[in-house]
């Protein structure tokens, strides 16, 4: 399908800024992480809305993929931020630390939602672990966007 953006001159300042920004967002996005949060936190919900919520997550990831495909086509790239070695290297380093924190965070949230605890101390340990993952993810995002 054709987009109105294709009708703008290739070096139009608005187009260049918009495409650069979306390209950077695409490079930083991780649909697999979002899918894990859905599987850990949405799928187990005992709610009539659960299938609709799961479908929404799938649809959003499909739209992200379609946007990325259109962007790559527009820029004639094979991957987002193809020529930004500094950002790609930073993301590779960041993701090695932040991705496991995201996985742990989803698991901790699931346990906090679904488990009954033997003691207040047990619950506090999980709550403290959650705070650590939140802080770690936020710091990772801060350094690379």
């Amino acid at each position: 399908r054709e987009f109105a953006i294709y009708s703008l001159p290739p070096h139009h300042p608005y187009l260049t800024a918009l495409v650069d920004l979306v390209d950077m967002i695409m490079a930083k996005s991780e649909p697999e992480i979002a899918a894990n949060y859905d599987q850990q936190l949405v799928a187990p919900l005992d709610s009539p809305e659960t299938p609709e919520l799961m479908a929404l997550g799938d649809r959003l990831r499909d739209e992200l993929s379609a946007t990325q495909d259109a962007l790559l086509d527009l820029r004639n790239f094979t991957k987002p931020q193809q020529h930004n070695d500094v950002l790609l290297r930073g993301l590779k380093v960041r993701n090695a630390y932040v991705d496991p924190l995201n996985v742990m965070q989803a698991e901790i949230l699931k346990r906090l939602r679904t488990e009954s605890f033997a003691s207040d101390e047990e619950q506090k340990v999980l709550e403290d672990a959650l705070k650590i993952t939140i802080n770690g993810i936020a710091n990772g995002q801060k350094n690379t966007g």
Side-chain angles (χ1 to χ4, degrees):
R1 71 188 170 188
E2 288 297 313
F3 299 99
I5 202 164
Y6 284 109
S7 66
L8 290 173
H11 299 291
H12 189 282
Y14 173 77
L15 175 65
T16 302
L18 177 65
V19 169
D20 287 345
L21 179 62
V22 174
D23 189 27
M24 184 172 45
I25 292 167
M26 290 294 126
K28 295 176 179 183
S29 66
E30 295 192 83
E32 301 85 10
I33 295 293
N36 181 58
Y37 277 94
D38 283 354
Q39 286 300 315
Q40 296 292 325
L41 302 171
V42 178
L45 294 176
D46 185 21
S47 166
E49 291 88 17
T50 300
E52 183 180 340
L53 292 171
M54 292 299 291
L56 174 62
D58 290 338
R59 193 167 62 248
L60 289 171
R61 284 185 291 280
D62 289 345
E63 288 293 326
L64 179 72
S65 179
T67 301
Q68 182 170 311
D69 291 345
L71 178 79
L72 295 176
D73 182 51
L74 179 69
R75 297 197 91 175
N76 198 25
F77 280 5
T78 58
K79 65 181 179 180
Q81 292 290 300
Q82 183 170 309
H83 301 299
N84 191 342
D85 294 334
V86 173
L87 178 66
L88 293 175
R89 190 171 33 258
L91 290 173
K92 186 174 182 179
V93 170
R94 175 194 83 175
N95 291 348
Y97 294 95
V98 175
D99 287 357
L101 289 173
N102 277 294
V103 172
M104 287 189 295
Q105 184 179 77
E107 178 64 28
I108 292 166
L109 285 166
K110 182 174 87 173
R111 288 183 186 188
L112 285 168
R113 273 188 186 173
T114 60
E115 291 186 10
S116 55
F117 303 100
S119 68
D120 289 341
E121 181 63 28
E122 182 183 359
Q123 184 174 356
K124 184 174 177 351
V125 167
L126 278 178
E127 289 170 350
D128 288 346
L130 177 62
K131 291 173 188 173
I132 291 168
T133 63
I134 291 169
N135 192 18
I137 293 166
N139 280 312
Q141 298 296 327
K142 181 172 56 176
N143 291 333
T144 57

